[in-house]
Amino acid sequence: MSLSTGPLRRAAVLALAAVTALGMTAACSRKDDTGATGKTKLVIQTFGKPGIDQAVAAFQAAHPNIVVDHQKLGELRDFQPKLVQWLGAGKGAGDVVMLEEGVLLGYLQQPDNFANLLDYGGAGLKDSFLSWKYQRGMTSDGKKLVGLGTDVGGLAMCYRTDLLAKAGMPTDRAEVAKLWPTWEAYRASGVAFKAKNTGAAWTDSATGVVQPYAMQASDRIFFSPDNTLIADSNPSVRHTWDYANSLISDGLTAKLTTWSKDWEAGFKKAAFATMPCPAWMTGVIKANAGDEGAGKWDVATIPGGTGNWGGSYFAVPKQSKHPKEAYELAKYLTGKDGQLAVYKEVGAMPSSPQALEDPAFRDSRNDYFNNAPTGKIFADSVRTMRPVFLGAKHQEIWESVFMPQLQAVEQGKASSEEAWKAANAEARKRVG
């Protein structure tokens, strides 16, 4: 999209009005980062597909004295170890870095590596975020604001209309939602789908249902609010594990490893009919399924009707030479216009109440997903959701411990009980 059109132009104009003072500040900052240009260079480091290209362009258009170098550093598993290393070494981290919510608490427990955004006006942004989203960026004593929230992962169920039609099932999203008011109904519909021998699986993987299922089941998962590991004693973890294994034993999954090349190829091959999709996943589906998938995917409500999966923050490492300008960049990207630009680019759901109420989100539809009213569907999914405590090592315990063990069951390398015991033993070992 060109800078001369629509919301992006409005975003640029608003950003320009809001940051005139910043431009003056930048003019007084160190200007040797880009050599002869005399401009201040800000490096922002992200993982995944953050969809901030248009928002960064708008910020730069409003800040002629600043150049933003957007470094896209692979998936979270690629980026996270590097960031830990850079923060420890005191060099290498960008001026703004992206923190996934599953690792955020770990950083909040060691906040000395980050600038206190309260020193740059962060307290005034409290009403610019959903209250729980803003609060999660704070240290437990409330004295330091480490991160400003980007998106939230309001939940829905994405499905392929062509595969459901092949199985003789309804394809209209209102009728499709009636197939899975609960997770047990979702499983039963999967069994019925499998009986039609369409050549596709019901869903991509057992691991794909764990996060949305667990997020609805309790206000905690692997850790209690005092950060004690409770994976083997929290009933909701075991219920989630057993439910995921029931999909495996029923033969309803395509046995694909999420984020793998085979998983990406599965979208083009129409290898599965449904998958739980947080708002940000719509961009992933579109990227992986390509043009041939346009109009074949649609979006219906998630079993259980609510929940959150994912969402990130932008933080300013203390090693940044330009913390004021970095704060302004993070502030713009997480503000109303920045978040609406990201929603337009990759479908990530805003955490800004002002953005959520803006017609650009509230009344939005997604052409790729059969013109589904995605703004309404995703907004409805977070109206009644309860924040879930994740713990400092949530992401590690899920991605490096429980997820591989569940995949081992899915691939026939271990029984459910063997994998459950192995996962809990490894979790205890890692937490210490």
Side-chain angles (χ1 to χ4, degrees), residues 49 218 255 356 368:
K49 297 178 176 63
S218 176
K255 304 179 181 180
L356 291 171
Y368 189 88

Side-chain angles (χ1 to χ4, degrees), residues 199-260:
W202 181 233
T203 190
D204 59 326
S205 71
T207 60
V209 304
V210 167
Q211 189 97 348
Y213 189 99
M215 284 288 181
Q216 293 177 5
S218 176
D219 62 356
R220 61 202 66 183
I221 302 178
F222 299 123
F223 295 91
S224 61
D226 64 0
N227 223 29
T228 300
L229 180 69
I230 57 171
D232 60 350
S233 60
N234 182 358
S236 74
V237 175
R238 183 67 206 213
H239 291 160
T240 302
W241 179 270
D242 288 342
Y243 179 77
N245 274 279
S246 72
L247 299 183
I248 296 172
S249 60
D250 286 342
L252 303 184
T253 81
K255 304 179 181 180
L256 297 170
T257 300
T258 307
W259 308 119
S260 69

